[in-house]
Amino acid sequence: MKCHPRASSLSRALALALLPTIAPVALAQTTPDGSIAGDPKQLDTIVVQGEIAYRNRTDDTAPVLSYDLEYFQRFEPNTVGDMVKRVPGAAFVGSDIMEFDGVQLRGLGGGYTQVLINGKKVPGAGDDRSFWVDRIPAEMVDRIEVLRSNSANRSGDAVAGAINIVLRDAYEFDGSYLRLGANRAFDGEVNPTFGAVTSTEALGGRFLAGVNVQDRYRAKNKRSDRFSDPSMEELVSWEDQVEVKDGRDYSGNISYTADVGDTGRLSIDGFYVKTDRDVTEVSFEEEYDDDDVITADVPGMATVDQANWGLGLEYRFDMAGGTTEFDVDHARFTDESWESEDEHVYENGEWDESVGEAEYIDAKDAETSFKLAHQRSVGTAADMEFGIDYRRKKRDFAFTTYEWEADSEGDAAAYELDGTVASVIEEKRLDPYIQFNGKAGVLAWEAGLRYETTQSDIRYNEDGDEPEGIASKDYNELLPSAHLRWDLTDADRISLSLARSIKRPNFNELIPALLDGEFGDNDYIGNPQLDPETANGIDLGWEHRLGRNGVVGINLFYRDVKDLIEVVNTGAPSEEMLDTWEDMVDDGEVASIEEAMVAEPADSWVFTSANVGDGKVYGVEFDLSTPLNVFGLDNTGVFLNYSWVNSEVDDFLGERRFNNQARSVYNVGFIQDLPSLAASFGVSYRKQGDAYERILGEEVTVEYGGDLEAFVEKRFGKRLSVRLSAANLLDASKDESFHKFDTLGDQVERDYDEYELETEEAGPSYQLVMRWAF
């Protein structure tokens, strides 16, 4: 492995600090994420909640929002996505209606938001390194944490912030329960859901296991109308489509914790999530070409087979005057998906052609990490933590396309291989860090340095077994961070955070394979020499405690992003232009390619990704969760959060916001408990603002309707509860407008290829769930 001198010297310094042997200190009882643990929580309190749950007010010096499962549970979320959509600033631009997969904090794309499980990175499905949070069932979760700013003791690739999914831990829970339920979609489809959790003393420690099986079903109606331009005076074509996603998710998690000797604690945790899903689409299209009417039946189908799993071991023990921690983790993501679409075309009622295209994805993404860290006191007013993280990532991806064309009407589809692009991306990281924290009266502080080193190797091939290209890229970044918390009173606090963060390039931006017609008539080729984006950020927040349970807070943030990655023109003509010039020579129109280039100048090109400049992101976040004690309504809880964001980026056409950044997102709701009836009910409403995306050849605006949810609950004693919940009661739609262009020149001149309006609806859904503790 290539040595990074700066990292190696810092690593040696950290290792030397472990050598002195001083009287050991007592090891605190901790949870997997490092917080102090108390007596195990009884799981029957999860089943039958005696009180309304509100946002936690943490003692972290860094800005952290924490929400226990009980905060979300009465609305019966099925997945972590259903939970995260309720926290401040979480948007899901690009997700289908009623689906919440790629979370975006501060309105930035999924690659800017870090998703952690038990404080640790996990591989995911997105080319932008994002993790789809709807893959984790809610029943596996203890709490959701929103980490608004970086700290030195965790990975720095979280420009927008991080979502930490803390799974249930054996040390924190005791007891068992079952969850049985059914979901009903708007079209009458009914699907079951099942979950079970148990935790008890076993094998000399404490053991927890959970299993969850969910049938996931979503039917949607889509409508597209396509015009020659935004005036909508000329209708070019229209399409009606019915899409059904029908599948099943299987998941499980385990946790084992045991004390070792007088000061040691061993923890083992693991999770497994598998998604099997079939997607069917049935479309009818009608196109107008002068006096001709062209219709098409377009059946499509897809199968999705994805799995995520992870296994981790942590051992903490007293050593050298402090506490030493050793972690080993391995996580893996696999994806085998097939998608096909056929098109049977009729012109004025007569069969014209039948064609089909298909894609097959075979992806494997694995990450292995080791961590060695040591915490100790420094004098009487501060603590020090230092350590080193090693991480190795390997992403093996193959994308294969197929096509077919019928000779006559009614021919069966016979797909033939069209091409394959395969790549292997390996990254090795060695990240030493050091961090200090302390408290002096009403002030608490934290300061640290993290030095992240990355060594990447990229291999790829097209339509062959031998690698067509090999590229390497190394980069190192120093990431300082500092946090200050000032407790003005017992109820008021101010927090200030300064931190530098990093965003590594998307995987598809690194692979130097030529993609023909990727942007209209323009081609695209990746750039393995991209540098990462970095951001200097500031967060300034105020938080006030309201009575015993309530809390209100406001946070201002700013990110100054450097080395933004955008699409740029290489100046090389596209494959289409090269073919055009060759055809002109073959047809005798010109004598040479040079003459063809003069006769018909290029208007489509090969584009690539490059570090082009800077950008900035800023906004304000407000959240409130409190009982209405001040009005004498102790059993009424209200919840409100609102985030407004803005940004500035320069691309090939000038200034715009970050792509797909929703201008705002807010949640508002209430829960009313009825103790005398052992019942409760509640309502919530969520709305995110419009978002805009501009890429080469296409500009898209997307708008989501408001999501109204409600529940009613009846409790039977202390061990049984029944809940009826409903989602999307307003039958919200997702509405998109597409401005499409063939070339960059057309986009500049607003010479349209097509203007399209698309809307999709999924209707309300209902869920009946029984929980029984035993």
Side-chain angles (χ1 to χ4, degrees):
M1 186 180 74
K2 187 178 292 186
C3 180
H4 301 280
R6 198 170 173 187
S8 299
S9 60
L10 184 51
S11 301
R12 288 195 295 270
L14 297 177
L16 290 172
L18 289 171
L19 295 179
T21 302
I22 307 174
V25 299
L27 178 67
Q29 295 180 343
T30 57
T31 64
D33 67 323
S35 60
I36 302 299
D39 294 331
K41 183 189 300 184
Q42 298 299 309
L43 282 173
D44 57 10
T45 64
I46 305 294
V47 174
V48 181
Q49 294 177 242
E51 295 182 346
I52 300 171
Y54 301 93
R55 172 167 78 82
N56 302 329
R57 196 182 197 218
T58 73
D59 291 327
D60 298 272
T61 305
V64 177
L65 305 183
S66 179
Y67 301 85
D68 289 341
L69 174 63
E70 295 92 321
Y71 176 88
F72 310 96
Q73 193 177 75
R74 293 195 178 185
F75 289 93
E76 282 297 343
N78 286 308
T79 71
V80 168
D82 294 331
M83 301 165 74
V84 170
K85 72 180 183 181
R86 301 182 188 277
V87 306
F92 290 86
V93 176
S95 297
D96 288 351
I97 194 71
M98 292 187 71
E99 296 185 20
F100 305 92
D101 44 26
V103 59
Q104 301 164 271
L105 292 178
R106 275 72 189 269
L108 298 181
Y112 291 91
T113 299
Q114 184 182 80
V115 176
L116 307 170
I117 296 181
N118 290 340
K120 299 160 186 173
K121 286 174 58 63
V122 286
D127 276 331
D128 59 356
R129 303 171 184 262
S130 60
F131 180 88
W132 291 347
V133 293
D134 70 338
R135 294 301 186 262
I136 304 294
E139 292 305 306
M140 291 172 59
V141 177
D142 171 27
R143 65 185 180 276
I144 299 292
E145 295 177 339
V146 181
L147 314 175
R148 284 175 159 166
S149 185
N150 286 350
S151 290
N153 59 358
R154 67 173 187 272
S155 181
D157 40 0
V159 171
I163 299 290
N164 185 25
I165 305 166
V166 182
L167 304 183
R168 287 179 175 168
D169 170 58
Y171 198 82
E172 289 194 341
F173 293 92
D174 187 38
S176 304
Y177 79 84
L178 291 175
R179 178 183 186 265
L180 299 173
N183 295 274
R184 184 184 186 279
F186 81 102
D187 61 354
E189 179 80 12
V190 177
N191 290 279
T193 180
F194 167 81
V197 179
T198 185
S199 180
T200 186
E201 293 184 1
L203 304 175
R206 292 199 57 81
F207 178 80
L208 178 144
V211 63
N212 192 272
V213 181
Q214 296 185 46
D215 277 12
R216 303 279 295 277
Y217 178 89
R218 187 77 68 212
K220 294 191 291 266
N221 296 320
K222 295 184 179 181
R223 168 76 183 198
S224 296
D225 292 285
R226 306 179 184 105
F227 305 87
S228 59
D229 58 50
S231 70
M232 297 188 292
E233 294 177 355
E234 180 186 359
L235 178 65
V236 175
S237 67
W238 57 268
E239 176 183 359
D240 279 333
Q241 181 186 99
V242 176
E243 178 191 271
V244 175
K245 295 180 179 178
D246 192 2
R248 179 169 292 173
D249 287 359
Y250 307 85
S251 59
N253 69 301
I254 59 169
S255 173
Y256 172 74
T257 302
D259 292 332
V260 180
D262 295 332
T263 64
R265 171 157 295 157
L266 174 69
S267 297
I268 300 173
D269 61 82
F271 72 93
Y272 177 81
V273 179
K274 180 175 174 60
T275 297
D276 287 329
R277 188 169 300 165
D278 293 325
V279 183
T280 58
E281 295 179 352
V282 179
S283 299
F284 178 81
E285 299 181 10
E286 187 165 286
E287 180 181 351
Y288 309 106
D289 184 10
D290 295 329
D291 294 330
D292 296 323
V293 177
I294 302 168
T295 60
D297 295 318
V298 188
M301 63 86 65
T303 60
V304 177
D305 182 359
Q306 297 178 339
N308 275 93
W309 63 268
L311 186 64
L313 180 148
E314 175 186 301
Y315 181 51
R316 293 184 175 217
F317 58 98
D318 286 358
M319 172 184 172
T323 301
T324 296
E325 173 188 345
F326 177 73
D327 291 352
V328 182
D329 298 279
H330 180 78
R332 187 177 290 264
F333 169 78
T334 61
D335 182 4
E336 292 186 61
S337 300
W338 168 273
E339 182 177 357
S340 65
E341 183 178 88
D342 299 339
E343 187 175 26
H344 306 282
V345 181
Y346 300 83
E347 185 172 341
N348 299 321
E350 297 292 329
W351 179 79
D352 183 49
E353 65 174 356
S354 292
V355 295
E357 296 180 344
E359 302 172 350
Y360 175 68
I361 292 175
D362 184 6
K364 301 178 181 64
D365 196 332
E367 295 193 20
T368 302
S369 65
F370 303 91
K371 177 180 178 179
L372 178 64
H374 183 72
Q375 303 174 39
R376 62 193 303 162
S377 297
V378 180
T380 59
D383 295 321
M384 176 176 63
E385 177 182 348
F386 50 90
I388 190 164
D389 290 337
Y390 171 79
R391 178 173 298 274
R392 179 170 181 172
K393 179 182 185 70
K394 182 178 181 181
R395 181 180 176 89
D396 192 335
F397 186 88
F399 179 74
T400 305
T401 57
Y402 302 83
E403 61 182 17
W404 75 278
E405 183 174 357
D407 294 325
S408 60
E409 184 178 9
D411 287 353
Y415 284 100
E416 296 182 354
L417 180 65
D418 181 42
T420 299
V421 175
S423 63
V424 177
I425 298 177
E426 292 186 84
E427 292 180 345
K428 297 177 183 178
R429 290 172 49 183
L430 189 65
D431 305 340
Y433 71 89
I434 187 167
Q435 178 175 296
F436 296 88
N437 61 81
K439 189 171 183 180
V442 297
L443 295 178
W445 57 272
E446 176 191 302
L449 285 174
R450 184 179 184 91
Y451 188 63
E452 295 203 352
T453 69
T454 304
Q455 176 186 340
S456 62
D457 295 293
I458 301 163
R459 305 189 301 276
Y460 76 97
N461 66 70
E462 296 182 64
D463 305 326
D465 296 329
E466 296 298 323
E468 294 189 11
I470 300 175
S472 297
K473 174 69 174 179
D474 297 350
Y475 48 86
N476 312 316
E477 296 292 342
L478 183 65
L479 307 179
S481 60
H483 308 286
L484 178 67
R485 192 189 76 220
W486 181 14
D487 293 325
L488 299 172
T489 66
D490 290 339
D492 293 276
R493 67 169 56 159
I494 291 177
S495 62
L496 174 65
S497 295
L498 304 170
R500 190 166 187 256
S501 51
I502 184 174
K503 179 191 178 297
R504 290 169 172 80
N506 298 351
F507 295 120
N508 57 348
E509 294 172 334
L510 294 171
I511 302 169
L514 184 69
L515 303 180
D516 187 11
E518 182 71 4
F519 298 109
D521 292 340
N522 300 285
D523 304 338
Y524 176 81
I525 188 169
N527 178 7
Q529 298 305 314
L530 286 172
D531 290 322
E533 299 178 13
T534 59
N536 295 318
I538 180 171
D539 285 80
L540 176 63
W542 166 80
E543 187 176 278
H544 176 72
R545 183 187 295 277
L546 298 169
R548 183 169 62 91
N549 295 319
V551 62
V552 59
I554 188 168
N555 186 72
L556 306 175
F557 70 88
Y558 178 85
R559 297 290 185 273
D560 182 17
V561 185
K562 304 292 185 183
D563 293 324
L564 273 172
I565 297 173
E566 291 286 341
V567 172
V568 299
N569 194 342
T570 66
S574 68
E575 290 290 309
E576 181 171 312
M577 286 307 310
L578 294 175
D579 291 342
T580 298
W581 293 334
E582 290 177 359
D583 289 343
M584 293 173 66
V585 173
D586 293 341
D587 293 341
E589 297 179 30
V590 293
S592 65
I593 293 291
E594 290 73 16
E595 291 184 19
M597 295 172 64
V598 174
E600 186 166 343
D603 61 2
S604 59
W605 311 89
V606 177
F607 283 75
T608 190
S609 294
N611 299 101
V612 299
D614 304 335
K616 56 185 178 181
V617 188
Y618 51 92
V620 59
E621 301 159 323
F622 171 83
D623 77 289
L624 167 72
S625 65
T626 183
L628 296 181
N629 307 90
V630 67
F631 300 107
L633 302 174
D634 295 352
N635 296 312
T636 304
V638 295
F639 309 88
L640 168 65
N641 61 65
Y642 175 84
S643 298
W644 176 88
V645 296
N646 200 5
S647 60
E648 296 176 16
V649 176
D650 286 323
D651 67 4
F652 55 92
L653 285 184
E655 186 176 298
R656 60 164 168 81
R657 301 205 318 263
F658 271 75
N659 278 334
N660 287 323
Q661 182 184 58
R663 179 77 76 175
S664 63
V665 58
Y666 68 87
N667 292 270
V668 60
F670 76 91
I671 294 175
Q672 178 64 53
D673 201 10
L674 306 170
S676 61
L677 299 178
S680 60
F681 64 91
V683 173
S684 74
Y685 179 79
R686 179 182 185 275
K687 184 72 167 67
Q688 66 184 34
D690 298 354
Y692 173 76
E693 178 185 33
R694 182 166 69 201
I695 59 175
L696 182 64
E698 188 171 271
E699 300 168 19
V700 186
T701 299
V702 58
E703 177 184 358
Y704 292 84
D707 182 13
L708 179 66
E709 299 188 9
F711 81 91
V712 60
E713 171 194 64
K714 176 66 174 123
R715 303 182 291 272
F716 301 91
K718 296 184 177 180
R719 296 187 176 273
L720 183 67
S721 70
V722 177
R723 258 183 221 119
L724 175 65
S725 59
N728 196 29
L729 288 171
L730 298 179
D731 191 11
S733 64
K734 176 186 178 184
D735 302 303
E736 296 176 274
S737 62
F738 298 84
H739 304 253
K740 301 178 182 180
F741 309 91
D742 287 329
T743 66
L744 176 58
D746 290 345
Q747 195 166 359
V748 172
E749 298 295 330
R750 314 311 287 176
D751 183 5
Y752 279 78
D753 173 55
E754 187 176 84
Y755 175 72
E756 179 180 2
L757 297 177
E758 180 178 288
T759 184
E760 68 175 49
E761 296 177 332
S765 67
Y766 304 90
Q767 183 175 204
L768 182 65
V769 171
M770 180 196 73
R771 295 172 182 270
W772 174 46
F774 58 94

